[in-house]
């Protein structure tokens, strides 16, 4: 199976067009030859019409082309009529997507008023109670027939009214039926979505798109690749558009890095027709990040690149680190094999950073680029290596995109039967003039994070960011986001929406202030139960909204404390971390150096 024609030469996946509303009346066309569409989701209570309208208008002003609004109940879905009417009265024609979980009857109400309905196959007329059950083929077919009976009315109504559907699976909310047959896996996500697609096609309804979201960028990448490959196997007319996103990415630099790895690397492979960056921030901040990620793609790809092969040098649908031998570099550093992926800096950065960094700091450079003795090659051509015991990297070749170059290097080494460790660079020409901070962060994350998700790389070098300290921090943050090294606490935090039962930004900041010293601990902060337990499956602890003003605490995906008052919930979370032996007291801050008295100053007065 192939998810794209070539992992080296850019070619956008050809898809059919779908319509969200009438393009002549402000609607949006997704897919085909149309540019990738940017969308987001408001956070206001769906019953607060004015707040929803105000937030939607602000998103549209920022450049958002599609706006999603949650509809958790039939009552909320009915109020979409008022929201859309008020938007149209104010001259705003942006397509609105109703976000539906659990309640088919809410979908049937929402479809009357909005241009698109998003359904999650994992909890739309299905269940996820994490119950272990073996389904016979007959039982499985009976359950699927029950789901079809619940879903078909919505399909027929969408067809009658000219609406669109988004079939949106989430890694954290697969049904028990899917989990017990396929496991919590990319295959399970894809099969769950295809079941719903087959129901649509059975009724000759084709105005739909897919999404495959996960909070782990590597999982998201694998899911979208597998879906694209499976659709290609199904036939040419299965070329439905893809909505890309990494869900629960978090906030700040970490949220942007995770989003860039998952969304950006897929875009560079030609996948994706609409995107959303999910940040635990005000939704308006998502739009510039979406635009910036899209702007990175032409700079990181080439459709006319001449390469000797189109073979994949990695397993595209499951993560497997490329096998390499462990070598001792000239600086005494071990690299490759089972060693952690190392962080390398140029000599100038090493000299600048080392005097400032405490000896026990987790974030510190581990090697000097100029002193590694790395063999630099052009992977488009054949080359010789003495043996497997030298580090290999790509020469600085301005006409060669780094993402394609290092994939091609991995292919060359495989053809040669070599297991040399690879040093990744985020660019093959140091940018001049220097890039702005956001562009540097996104480009480095797409290239390095994408390659690490492919399983390629034993050491990394960040050069897009010109500030040595920021470049060093970015390198470690990319390794953490890609799941390659853990040097700090990791947070899975969902973006807010109308279902959220507490202020996500405030609570997340409060939890971070208390727990950010817990190296290697993963904490999930979820506003409600919709994606909570499943999306937190690989988190150590979870803080989940259970009811207004009440919080449930989880260990992994198992709830252990219920209906805790929000005012004391963070303290109880700390207690839970202590109970499970994951707590350490933060190290005291080093004493401040005594301030030197300021020299006397002389003043100059002027008379006027």
């Amino acid at each position: 199976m192939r998810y794209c024609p070539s992992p080296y030469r850019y070619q956008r996946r050809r898809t059919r067009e779908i319509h969200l509303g009438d393009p002549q009346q402000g609607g949006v066309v997704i897919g085909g030859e149309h540019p990738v569409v940017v969308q987001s989701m408001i956070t206001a209570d769906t019953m607060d019409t004015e707040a929803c309208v105000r937030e939607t208008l602000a998103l549209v002003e920022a450049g958002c082309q599609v706006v999603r609004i949650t509809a958790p109940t039939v009552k909320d879905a009915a109020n979409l009529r008022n929201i859309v009417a008020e938007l149209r009265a104010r001259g705003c024609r942006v397509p609105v997507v109703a976000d539906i979980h659990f309640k088919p009857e809410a979908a049937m109400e929402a479809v009357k008023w909005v241009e698109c309905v998003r359904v999650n196959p994992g909890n739309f007329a299905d269940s996820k109670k994490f119950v272990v059950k073996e389904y016979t083929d007959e039982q499985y077919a009976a359950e699927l027939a029950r789901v079809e009976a619940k879903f078909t009315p919505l399909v027929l109504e969408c067809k009658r009214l000219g609406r669109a559907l988004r079939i949106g699976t989430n890694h954290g909310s697969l049904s028990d039926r899917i989990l017990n047959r396929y496991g919590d896996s990319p295959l399970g996500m894809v099969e769950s979505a295809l079941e719903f697609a087959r129901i649509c096609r059975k009724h000759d309804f084709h105005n739909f798109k897919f999404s495959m979201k996960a909070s782990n960028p590597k999982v998201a990448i694998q899911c979208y690749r597998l879906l694209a490959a499976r659709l290609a196997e199904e036939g040419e007319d299965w070329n439905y558009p893809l909505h890309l996103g990494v869900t629960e990415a978090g906030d700040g630099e970490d949220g942007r890095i995770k989003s860039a790895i998952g969304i950006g690397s897929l875009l560079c492979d030609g996948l994706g027709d609409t995107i959303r960056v999910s940040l635990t921030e005000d939704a308006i901040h998502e739009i510039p990040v979406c635009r910036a990620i899209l702007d990175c793609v032409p700079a990181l790809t080439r459709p006319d690149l001449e390469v000797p092969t189109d073979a994949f040098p990695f397993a595209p649908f499951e993560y497997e680190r490329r096998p390499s031998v462990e070598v001792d570099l000239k600086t005494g550093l071990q690299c490759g094999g089972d060693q952690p992926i190392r962080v390398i800096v140029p000599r100038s950065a090493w000299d600048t950073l080392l005097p400032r960094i405490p000896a026990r700091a987790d974030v510190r450079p581990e090697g000097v680029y100029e002193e590694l003795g790395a063999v630099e090659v052009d992977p488009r051509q054949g080359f010789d290596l003495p043996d497997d015991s030298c580090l290999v990297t790509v020469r600085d070749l301005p006409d060669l995109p780094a993402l394609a170059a290092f994939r091609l290097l991995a292919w060359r080494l495989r053809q040669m039967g070599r297991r040399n460790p690879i040093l990744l660079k985020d660019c093959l020409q140091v940018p001049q003039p220097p890039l702005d901070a956001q562009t540097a962060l996104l480009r480095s994350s797409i290239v390095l994070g994408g390659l690490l998700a492919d399983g390629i790389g034993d050491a990394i070098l960040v050069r897009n960011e010109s500030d040595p300290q920021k470049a060093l921090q970015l390198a470690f943050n990319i390794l953490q986001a890609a799941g390659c090294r853990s040097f700090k606490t990791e947070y899975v935090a969902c973006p807010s929406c109308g279902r959220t039962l507490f202020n996500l930004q405030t609570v997340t900041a409060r939890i971070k202030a208390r727990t950010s010293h817990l190296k290697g601990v993963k904490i999930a902060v979820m506003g409600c139960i919709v994606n909570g337990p499943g999306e937190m499956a690989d988190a150590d602890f979870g803080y989940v909204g259970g009811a207004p003003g009440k919080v449930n605490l989880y260990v992994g995906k198992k709830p252990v404390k219920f209906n805790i008052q929000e005012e004391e919930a963070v303290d109880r979370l700390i207690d839970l971390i202590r109970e499970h032996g994951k707590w350490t007291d933060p190290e005291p801050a080093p004493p401040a150096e005594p301030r030197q008295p300021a020299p006397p100053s002389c003043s100059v007065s002027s008379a006027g």
Side-chain angles (χ1 to χ4, degrees):
M1 292 194 301
R2 299 184 72 89
Y3 69 89
C4 68
S6 172
Y8 315 104
R9 291 177 289 104
Y10 174 79
Q11 180 178 325
R12 185 175 172 188
R13 174 175 172 262
R14 299 180 65 86
T15 71
R16 66 170 69 218
E17 296 179 355
I18 71 162
H19 291 232
L20 276 62
D22 183 352
Q24 303 300 318
Q25 301 292 325
V28 168
V29 181
I30 294 174
E33 301 297 326
H34 296 270
V36 175
V37 170
V38 170
Q39 58 180 280
S40 185
M41 186 173 187
I42 67 170
T43 63
D45 184 338
T46 310
M47 294 307 298
D48 188 338
T49 302
E50 180 55 35
C52 290
V53 170
R54 184 169 59 249
E55 193 174 345
T56 299
L57 292 173
L59 278 173
V60 173
E61 180 67 22
C64 184
Q65 296 168 279
V66 176
V67 174
R68 185 155 46 112
I69 304 176
T70 188
T73 68
V74 175
K75 185 178 179 182
D76 291 292
N79 198 51
L80 292 171
R81 176 182 189 177
N82 298 322
I83 295 169
V84 173
E86 184 61 24
L87 287 170
R88 305 300 179 247
R90 298 193 192 188
C92 177
R93 308 298 303 180
V94 67
V96 173
V97 180
D99 196 58
I100 304 294
H101 291 269
F102 302 117
K103 294 185 179 295
E105 58 272 25
M108 291 301 293
E109 177 64 29
V111 74
K112 301 174 185 177
W113 317 118
V114 298
E115 285 76 17
C116 181
V117 176
R118 181 271 173 114
V119 296
N120 182 343
N123 54 34
F124 184 96
D126 221 327
S127 66
K128 55 163 192 173
K129 299 179 181 177
F130 303 103
V131 175
V132 177
K133 177 181 177 180
E134 292 295 328
Y135 287 86
T136 65
D137 289 344
E138 292 77 13
Q139 290 171 325
Y140 195 94
E143 281 294 291
L144 189 54
R146 182 183 62 81
V147 169
E148 181 174 351
K150 289 281 190 179
F151 183 49
T152 295
L154 177 61
V155 172
L156 295 176
E157 196 67 357
C158 284
K159 184 176 179 180
R160 184 180 75 84
L161 295 173
R163 309 304 197 201
L165 271 174
R166 171 179 153 199
I167 300 173
T169 60
N170 272 64
H171 186 224
S173 54
L174 296 177
S175 68
D176 289 341
R177 178 174 55 82
I178 291 291
L179 283 171
N180 285 297
R181 175 152 293 196
Y182 299 101
D184 190 10
S185 66
L187 178 60
M189 291 178 66
V190 169
E191 290 300 327
S192 180
L194 291 179
E195 288 180 351
F196 273 56
R198 292 186 186 103
I199 297 170
C200 291
R201 289 174 59 89
K202 182 176 180 178
H203 298 283
D204 196 27
F205 177 73
H206 302 278
N207 200 37
F208 64 89
K209 57 182 175 174
F210 291 103
S211 66
M212 297 270 124
K213 290 195 174 183
S215 60
N216 182 326
K218 281 194 290 196
V219 173
I221 290 168
Q222 293 160 20
C223 290
Y224 281 106
R225 286 174 174 173
L226 182 59
L227 175 63
R230 290 282 283 109
L231 292 174
E233 277 195 333
E234 291 288 336
E236 290 186 3
D237 68 333
W238 280 75
N239 57 340
Y240 298 98
L242 303 181
H243 166 104
L244 303 185
V246 175
T247 192
E248 283 96 35
D251 60 359
E253 186 168 305
D254 291 335
R256 286 157 176 79
I257 291 171
K258 279 189 176 182
S259 298
I261 293 173
I263 298 171
S265 61
L266 289 166
L267 288 170
C268 287
D269 278 343
L271 303 185
D273 305 281
T274 177
I275 66 172
R276 188 231 172 154
V277 170
S278 300
L279 300 177
T280 311
E281 302 175 17
D282 291 342
I284 199 169
H285 297 307
E286 298 177 353
I287 308 306
V289 183
C290 287
R291 296 290 180 195
I293 290 175
L294 290 172
D295 288 344
C296 287
V297 176
L300 300 178
T301 59
R302 274 187 55 188
D304 60 344
L305 188 65
E306 294 186 6
V307 291
T309 182
D310 285 321
F312 286 94
F314 53 86
F317 309 121
E318 57 185 1
Y319 176 75
E320 179 183 348
R321 184 174 174 180
R322 173 185 168 270
S324 63
V325 300
E326 182 177 318
V327 302
D328 291 321
L329 304 178
K330 290 184 177 180
T331 56
L333 182 71
Q334 284 73 45
C335 181
D338 293 328
Q339 290 290 329
I341 294 169
R342 301 299 187 178
V343 174
I344 307 303
V345 298
R347 162 56 69 184
S348 58
W350 180 278
D351 292 340
T352 300
L353 293 168
L354 257 291
R356 306 179 186 173
I357 299 177
R360 296 175 58 192
D362 291 313
V363 177
R364 58 185 298 110
E366 297 176 297
V368 179
Y369 174 51
E370 293 85 349
E371 299 175 9
L372 297 177
V375 178
E376 299 188 336
V377 302
D378 183 343
R380 293 171 295 187
Q381 304 168 358
F383 54 83
D384 293 321
L385 295 171
D387 52 38
D388 289 354
S389 64
C390 57
L391 187 65
V392 183
T393 191
V394 177
R395 287 168 38 203
D396 282 352
L397 300 163
D399 61 331
L400 189 57
L403 189 62
F406 284 99
R407 286 176 171 175
L408 195 57
L409 174 58
W411 174 80
R412 283 282 184 195
L413 293 173
R414 176 184 288 182
Q415 294 299 108
M416 297 164 63
R418 294 295 194 187
R419 300 176 62 193
N420 301 73
I422 293 175
L423 166 65
L424 303 178
K425 303 173 184 176
D426 59 351
C427 59
L428 298 180
Q429 184 178 37
V430 178
Q432 293 296 336
L435 300 174
D436 65 88
Q438 176 167 263
T439 302
L441 178 146
L442 296 176
R443 285 193 188 181
S444 297
S445 300
I446 292 169
V447 172
L448 295 176
L451 290 164
L452 293 168
D454 290 342
I456 299 171
D458 302 281
I460 64 172
L461 171 65
V462 169
R463 300 193 298 182
N464 278 321
E465 172 55 65
S466 58
D467 181 275
Q469 183 61 52
K470 291 180 180 178
L472 178 66
Q473 186 69 48
L474 176 57
F476 275 92
N477 284 340
I478 290 172
L479 290 177
Q480 176 110 8
C484 297
R485 285 182 74 165
S486 182
F487 72 97
K488 62 180 181 179
T489 318
E490 184 168 347
Y491 300 93
V492 176
C494 64
S496 186
C497 73
R499 294 186 301 267
T500 301
L501 295 165
F502 54 80
N503 188 309
L504 266 163
Q505 295 181 46
T506 301
V507 170
T508 301
R510 193 182 307 148
I511 291 172
K512 284 187 173 184
R514 299 281 299 277
T515 62
S516 61
H517 64 288
L518 299 176
K519 176 182 175 181
V521 175
K522 190 170 185 178
I523 299 172
V525 186
M526 314 297 288
C528 73
I529 203 62
V530 165
N531 292 327
E535 209 64 77
M536 302 185 317
D538 59 348
D540 298 295
F541 304 97
Y543 181 110
V544 180
K550 301 292 180 66
V551 172
N552 298 334
L553 299 180
Y554 285 68
V555 175
K557 61 186 179 185
K558 180 180 180 181
V560 294
K561 308 278 186 182
F562 300 91
N563 296 320
I564 300 168
Q565 293 292 334
E566 187 179 335
E567 294 78 12
E568 60 181 74
V570 175
D571 288 334
R572 301 291 78 77
L573 174 64
I574 304 302
D575 292 342
L576 191 63
I577 296 171
R578 290 182 190 276
E579 290 173 20
H580 286 77
K582 297 282 189 176
W583 179 264
T584 57
D585 291 325
E587 293 185 6
E593 295 183 5
R595 296 181 60 184
Q596 299 296 322
S601 61
C602 45
S603 60
V604 178
S605 62
S606 60

